[in-house]
């Protein structure tokens, strides 16, 4: 996961900063935030001269930039305008490469035919590639059961072949991936991810046609220059803590109030999100309180009810539609603490009892930076393990080893609540469950089915500790002006 960068941003002396800056620096309410912005944008400007761009540091600086709304510093504004975009209908995009981000304007995104509604959604252009989503809904969709995803994908691919045309040549398009939502024996929605790649060096701007066989007209869209974020206040109301910004804005709609919610993460939080996306590393709500993890409340302090189907994923955020009127403002959007993941690792030797015994004394503990892991018990039962696959009759002599450990967070802003546990012993399967309480912290019980062994102990590696960055975010959203 890499080392912790939290102290990096404040390491450069201010005198060194001033040597590189223009004489006039904008007045900012938060001098620490200003210092971080200057420092990170300077690094970006220097990198620009070398044709390199460190997007993550710019993203971290953007968090502070949102908070104070600084204007007037031309080098800084030029840097942010290049990497910070609001894509209509898609969300907030923080560019982490040198590729240009362009807007895709959908001219006729919806068509219906024979009980099926096709809609183009969330299109944008990055470099020479166009990304988006084709969503199918309606009573005419086939249903093949919740476990027949591949079959459903093949049927939809054969039924609705897709092509695209850029004014010169018509090309076939095969969706790279798909997904669907079913309920009560019915397919409610099926979607294909869109990735249209042009040849490198070609100009992506222009008019395109996207055809789906079976529908009468082509879907038409244009790739145009983006609506770059020049006035960051347009993103809404923001709260920044620990270099992570939570922003929100609201719109009055016929069906209620739409709230757009964005997170511009720090490097620390971004590493955690990447671990979740790429390696399915679990992230849990603060103190396992899922009910109060995220909510929107009205001016009376009441949690607002979501409109059915009123949740939409955006880039770096979500759109929620809640039941309410102009009388409910100001709203409060609440987000509980974010999670960080550290790279710290410890190895312990866990003693193994004999068959049928349980040990509770002289068990290992490990001191991490943000908490302590203490093993409370370990028990063993020799059993016959059977493969859970219904098509396999494989069995093995195994040792069922169940251990419980407690994680006690240390005082401070970052409080550890989880840790990954790996073993070099040969295992057939494993499972676990845990809970959290104010008195004892986190407690986890895990079971390994090990290959039957006479060893007196097994080696466990405790890695990638998870911790909460213990500060809430409460964003006050005022009643919007007329659009």
């Amino acid at each position: 996961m890499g080392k912790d960068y939290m102290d990096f941003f404040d390491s450069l002396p201010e005198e060194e900063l001033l040597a590189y800056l223009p004489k006039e620096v904008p007045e900012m309410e938060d001098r620490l935030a200003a210092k971080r912005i200057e420092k990170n944008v300077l690094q970006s400007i220097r990198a620009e001269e070398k044709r390199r761009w460190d997007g993550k540091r710019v993203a971290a600086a953007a968090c502070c930039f949102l908070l104070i709304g600084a204007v007037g510093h031309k080098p800084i504004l030029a840097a942010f305008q290049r990497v910070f975009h609001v894509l209509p209908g898609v969300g907030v995009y923080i560019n982490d490469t040198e590729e240009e981000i362009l807007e895709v304007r959908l001219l006729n995104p919806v068509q219906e035919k024979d009980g099926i509604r096709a809609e183009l959604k969330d299109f944008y252009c990055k470099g020479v590639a166009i990304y988006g989503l084709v969503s199918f809904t309606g009573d005419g969709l086939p249903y093949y059961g919740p476990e027949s995803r591949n079959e459903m994908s093949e049927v939809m691919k054969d039924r609705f072949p897709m092509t695209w045309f850029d004014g010169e040549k018509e090309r076939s398009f095969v969706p790279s991936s798909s997904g669907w939502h079913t309920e009560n024996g019915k397919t409610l929605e099926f979607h294909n991810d869109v990735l249209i790649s042009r040849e490198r060096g070609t100009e992506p701007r222009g008019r395109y046609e996207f055809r789906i066989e079976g529908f009468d007209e082509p879907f038409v869209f244009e790739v145009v220059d983006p609506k770059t974020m020049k006035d960051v206040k347009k993103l809404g109301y923001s709260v920044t803590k620990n270099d992570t910004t939570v922003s929100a804005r609201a719109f009055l709609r016929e069906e209620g109030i739409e709230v757009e919610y964005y997170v511009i993460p720090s490097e620390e939080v971004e590493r955690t999100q990447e671990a979740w996306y790429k390696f399915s590393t679990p992230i849990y709500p603060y103190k396992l309180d899922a009910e109060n993890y995220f909510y929107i409340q009205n001016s009376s302090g009441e949690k607002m009810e979501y409109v059915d189907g009123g949740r939409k994923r955006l880039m770096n955020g979500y759109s929620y539609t809640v039941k309410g009127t102009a009388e409910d403002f100001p709203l409060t959007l609440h987000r509980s603490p974010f999670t960080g993941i550290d790279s710290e690792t410890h190895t312990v030797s866990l003693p193994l009892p004999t068959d049928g015994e349980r040990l509770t004394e002289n068990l290992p503990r490990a001191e991490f930076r943000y908490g302590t892991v203490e093993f409370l018990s370990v028990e063993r039962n020799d059993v016959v393990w059977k493969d859970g696959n219904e098509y396999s009759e494989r069995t093995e002599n195994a040792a069922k080893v169940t251990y419980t450990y407690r994680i006690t967070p240390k005082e401070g802003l970052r409080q550890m609540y989880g840790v990954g546990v790996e073993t070099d012993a040969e295992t057939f399967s494993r499972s676990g469950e845990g809970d959290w309480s104010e008195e004892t912290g986190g407690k986890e019980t895990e079971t390994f089915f090990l290959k039957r062994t006479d060893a007196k102990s097994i080696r466990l590696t405790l890695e990638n500790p998870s911790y909460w960055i213990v500060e809430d975010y409460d964003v006050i959203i005022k009643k919007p002006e007329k659009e």
Side-chain angles (χ1 to χ4, degrees), residues 244-288:
T244 291
T245 291
V246 172
S247 291
R249 58 182 177 177
F251 307 91
L252 287 168
R253 308 296 190 198
E254 289 186 7
E255 61 273 24
I257 302 171
E258 180 186 2
V259 177
E260 288 186 357
Y261 152 71
Y262 299 107
V263 174
I264 313 297
S266 65
E267 284 196 15
E268 183 179 30
V269 172
E270 186 178 26
R271 287 198 303 271
T272 304
Q273 293 174 345
E274 289 176 352
W276 179 46
Y277 293 141
K278 295 179 180 179
F279 308 111
S280 300
T281 302
I283 299 175
Y284 295 105
Y286 183 53
K287 296 184 178 179
L288 306 189

Side-chain angles (χ1 to χ4, degrees), residues 27 49 98 113-114 118 124 141 149 241 257 266 277 304 351 355 379 404 409 447 450:
E27 291 295 327
E49 295 173 358
E98 293 182 2
K113 186 72 177 289
D114 299 331
Y124 67 98
L141 287 175
R149 183 170 183 171
K241 296 181 180 181
I257 302 171
S266 65
Y277 293 141
M304 304 185 75
D355 180 27
E379 58 184 282
T404 298
T447 297
L450 307 177

